[in-house]
Amino acid sequence: MDRPEPTHPAELRAALADVVAIPVTPFDADGAIDRAAYRSLLRRLLDGGVRTLTPNGNTGEFYALTPEERLTVVEDTLAETAGRPAVVLVGVGHDVPTAVAAARHARDHGAQMVMVHQPVHPYVSHDGWVDYHRAIAESVPELGVVPYIRNPLLGGDRMALLGDLCPNVIGAKYAVPDAARFAAFARDAGLDRFVWVAGLAELYAPAYWVSGATGFTSGLVNVAPSVSLGMLTALRTGDHREAMRIWEQIRPFEDLRAAQQSANNVTVVKEALAALGLCRREVRPPSRQLPDNQRAEVAELIKGWAL
């Protein structure tokens, strides 16, 4: 396949300063990826106004998919977005060779950016974090690269160094649940140098916005695109009252996802989609389906949302 022409950096930065949707990966009755349902969910997002998609994100059960399934998800996403005004930010990770191969696969199939999952390793040095991301970024200089930062001890100076070494590192998905820490990290790295994406979704978006975030990730957007986009509009226009009205509306739903160290992060989203008849509720271990009483709670919570 011919390699795509590099997308203009301004377009990539604009795509990050938006609702960055993390699509779920639906499974069929036999436990395989339900590709038809997946593409139908993507069309629903795109038709609802979403313009930035991250296949193989955590809400997509990245770590529960096989290497072949991860490639399939990317290819189906790029096929579904072809000819539409969408930017695809592919999640990659694991060991360096695996991440590099996934990034090159994404590039060769038309993706414009990759998001690098936090290194899964018991011993991560801060300079080793730079080395890890540098190896991936340098393998795909044509693509924008976005580190996914979950380490509260990592300093913004390491992000600044990575940007010096790799000019295609254009933003960060910051997912440390500490708004003050985010504000310091962004300023130490370069507030205007990178696009800052609030990586803990709608509940953290207002607090991170005032500290420099201009976009946020979302799993909830799978269920209610208009709700997430409404939050974005309120933040962009400085309508804090409206942003917090939406925050209050979705808080019980997001609290369910966040309980027990986010044990049901994906489960609650898929349960809502199942209640709407959009896909099956099955998740893969180590996630697990909700008990019946919580299933009913999820269905009740989304009543009245603009769906």
Side-chain angles (χ1 to χ4, degrees), residues 130-147:
V130 175
D131 294 340
Y132 177 80
H133 289 84
R134 181 181 184 181
I136 298 166
E138 288 184 342
S139 74
V140 283
E142 309 93 335
L143 301 188
V145 175
V146 180

Side-chain angles (χ1 to χ4, degrees), residues 24-47:
V24 300
T25 306
F27 303 121
D28 62 23
D30 297 320
I33 294 177
D34 187 337
R35 297 177 67 182
Y38 179 69
R39 292 188 63 161
S40 177
L41 290 172
L42 292 180
R43 286 193 295 275
R44 183 171 180 266
L45 287 168
L46 294 165
D47 291 344

Side-chain angles (χ1 to χ4, degrees), residues 172-188 191 195-198 207-214:
K173 175 181 175 179
Y174 196 82
V176 176
D178 183 333
R181 180 65 187 150
F182 163 65
F185 186 97
R187 281 154 181 78
D188 291 343
L191 184 62
V195 181
W196 298 100
V197 182
Y208 280 55
W209 202 270
V210 298
S211 297
T214 53

Side-chain angles (χ1 to χ4, degrees), residues 19-109:
V19 176
V20 180
I22 319 295
V24 300
T25 306
F27 303 121
D28 62 23
D30 297 320
I33 294 177
D34 187 337
R35 297 177 67 182
Y38 179 69
R39 292 188 63 161
S40 177
L41 290 172
L42 292 180
R43 286 193 295 275
R44 183 171 180 266
L45 287 168
L46 294 165
D47 291 344
V50 172
R51 293 293 174 262
T52 309
L53 300 171
T54 301
N56 289 333
N58 281 339
T59 306
E61 296 179 75
F62 173 76
Y63 290 103
L65 302 180
T66 68
E68 293 76 15
E69 287 174 332
R70 293 196 296 270
L71 300 183
T72 295
V73 166
V74 171
E75 291 169 16
D76 282 352
T77 305
L78 290 164
E80 193 60 50
T81 56
R84 302 193 65 160
V87 172
V88 177
L89 169 68
V90 174
V92 303
H94 298 286
D95 58 278
V96 169
T98 296
V100 166
R104 288 174 171 165
H105 171 270
R107 174 198 65 194
D108 293 345
H109 284 77

Side-chain angles (χ1 to χ4, degrees), residues 223-274:
V223 181
S226 64
V227 172
S228 300
L229 291 168
M231 168 76 80
L232 178 69
T233 298
L235 293 171
R236 283 177 169 174
T237 59
D239 190 345
H240 182 73
R241 183 182 296 274
E242 174 63 9
M244 293 310 296
R245 184 197 67 78
I246 296 170
W247 187 94
E248 290 174 358
Q249 177 187 28
I250 66 176
R251 179 185 175 189
F253 184 88
E254 291 295 283
D255 281 350
L256 273 181
R257 296 179 66 202
Q260 299 179 355
Q261 295 184 310
S262 298
N264 293 323
N265 184 296
V266 181
T267 307
V268 170
V269 174
K270 279 193 169 178
E271 183 59 43
L273 292 171

